[in-house]
Every structure is written in structure tokens, then in C-alpha cells.
Amino acid sequence: MALRNILKEGDETLSKRCRPVTDFNDRLHQLLDDMAETLTAAEGVGLAAPQVGILRRAVLVLETNVPEGESEKLIELINPEILSSDGEQEGPEGCLSVPGVYGWVKRPDHVRVRAQDRFGEFFEIEGYGLTARAFCHEVDHLDGHVFLEISDHIMSDEELEEYYATEDGK
Ligand code: NI
């Protein structure tokens, strides 16, 4: 495995629409393994292939809603599609491609996603809260969008501090 360089906002790769993954081969597995290492090292909750310069529809999302005592797990989603969404959440959202910047973004609170695994098998998965936010954020990357486009307010350090002080570190 190897760490890959995370492209930063302003790189035109991040505004391109990604093509579907069609070959579920060793090259894809290497990409996913490298993305996992890169995401973990950066302590993020999601990473999309275009962020490491690969214009293919593959993302990782960290499922943080796990029972006490269990470790968070990385979900690999190839060619993900949001089937349905409901509810609403609002809060600060960030991105490894836009380091240090958090914007207020509204997202659904619950989404159902259909995707393929690294071997091409289809599955469906649900996400709530932060996981729903991450699914939406990562799928947006595959269509060339970053959260700054839908944020109605970039938060100041003071606002962030206040938010996290009152939100119990969520
Ligand atoms: Ni991002």
C-alpha cells in the first residue's frame, strides 16, 4: 500500500465528472487499498477517487455510527448511487481537499445507497447522520462538486469553536 497525494481545491481534476468503474481488477484493489491508507493517515471520514487524481466512480466512507467498543469501519462504494434520502441535518462540513475550511451545509439525515463492492457485487447500504452526510459529499465529488458550492456560510474559527462546544464534540 502507499499514500497518495490528495489534490487541493482549485485543481481542475476535482471539477470533472468521473466515469464508472468497469474493471474490478487488481488495479482497482490497489487504488482502494491506497485510498484507505491515505484516508486513515489524514484522519478523514471520506475520500473519493478524483481526490487522488483518478477520474473513476469509487469512494470510501468511514462508518462512525458503530456500537460502543466496536471499531469504525471503512465502506468501499464503487459506482454508488443514492436511491433515496429523507430527513435533514445542518452543520459544518469539511473536505480533505479544502483543508482547514468548514462551511455550513444542509444534507439529508438518512440516505440509502446502491453500490458495487471491489469484486463488482451489488449491495445496498443505509447511512444516518455523519455517514449520510459523507455518502452525499463523496458522491458529489464523483460529479465534480465540492461542498463549497452548496455551503451558504463559511464558518469562522470562533463559530466553529462555539459549535463544537455546544454540540458535545459531535
Ligand atoms: Ni471531500
Side-chain angles (χ1 to χ4, degrees), residues 2-8 34-47 51-52 60 62 74 94-100 102:
L3 286 177
R4 301 218 183 181
N5 183 41
I6 299 177
L7 302 179
K8 299 297 182 294
D34 288 354
M35 284 172 63
E37 193 177 348
T38 305
L39 177 60
T40 302
E43 298 180 349
V45 293
L47 187 67
Q51 291 181 277
V52 295
L60 298 182
L62 186 66
L74 271 184
C95 177
L96 294 174
S97 292
V98 194
Y102 294 86

Side-chain angles (χ1 to χ4, degrees), residues 14 46-48 51 93-98 137-138 141 145-147:
L14 293 176
L47 187 67
Q51 291 181 277
E93 188 166 314
C95 177
L96 294 174
S97 292
V98 194
H137 178 114
E138 300 313 326
H141 272 301
H145 299 301
V146 293
F147 76 94

Side-chain angles (χ1 to χ4, degrees), residues 10-127:
D11 190 302
E12 62 177 25
T13 303
L14 293 176
S15 58
K16 290 184 175 157
R17 194 178 154 81
C18 298
R19 287 170 296 157
V21 171
T22 51
D23 295 326
F24 296 83
N25 55 16
D26 287 349
R27 201 160 164 212
L28 173 68
H29 298 175
Q30 184 69 57
L31 170 67
L32 293 168
D33 291 346
D34 288 354
M35 284 172 63
E37 193 177 348
T38 305
L39 177 60
T40 302
E43 298 180 349
V45 293
L47 187 67
Q51 291 181 277
V52 295
I54 306 295
L55 288 168
R56 291 288 182 171
R57 303 185 80 81
V59 308
L60 298 182
V61 167
L62 186 66
E63 173 58 273
T64 53
N65 300 319
V66 291
E68 189 86 30
E70 281 185 28
S71 51
E72 299 175 338
K73 70 169 195 276
L74 271 184
I75 306 162
E76 298 176 344
L77 304 116
I78 317 302
N79 301 324
E81 243 184 289
I82 294 177
L83 297 176
S84 63
S85 60
D86 55 80
E88 189 180 88
Q89 59 176 317
E90 296 180 54
E93 188 166 314
C95 177
L96 294 174
S97 292
V98 194
V101 177
Y102 294 86
W104 195 257
V105 177
K106 287 181 194 157
R107 296 285 192 185
D109 195 46
H110 169 225
V111 297
R112 172 169 277 279
V113 180
R114 183 170 193 256
Q116 284 164 281
D117 69 13
R118 60 165 59 201
F119 304 104
E121 290 295 316
F122 283 94
F123 65 96
E124 284 185 21
I125 191 166
E126 284 178 274

Side-chain angles (χ1 to χ4, degrees), residues 144-169:
H145 299 301
V146 293
F147 76 94
L148 296 173
E149 298 166 41
I150 55 165
S151 172
D152 43 26
H153 176 69
I154 299 301
M155 296 175 79
S156 68
D157 290 348
E158 291 75 21
E159 287 170 325
L160 278 171
E161 252 173 58
E162 198 174 315
Y163 178 83
Y164 286 113
T166 55
E167 286 290 307
D168 197 24

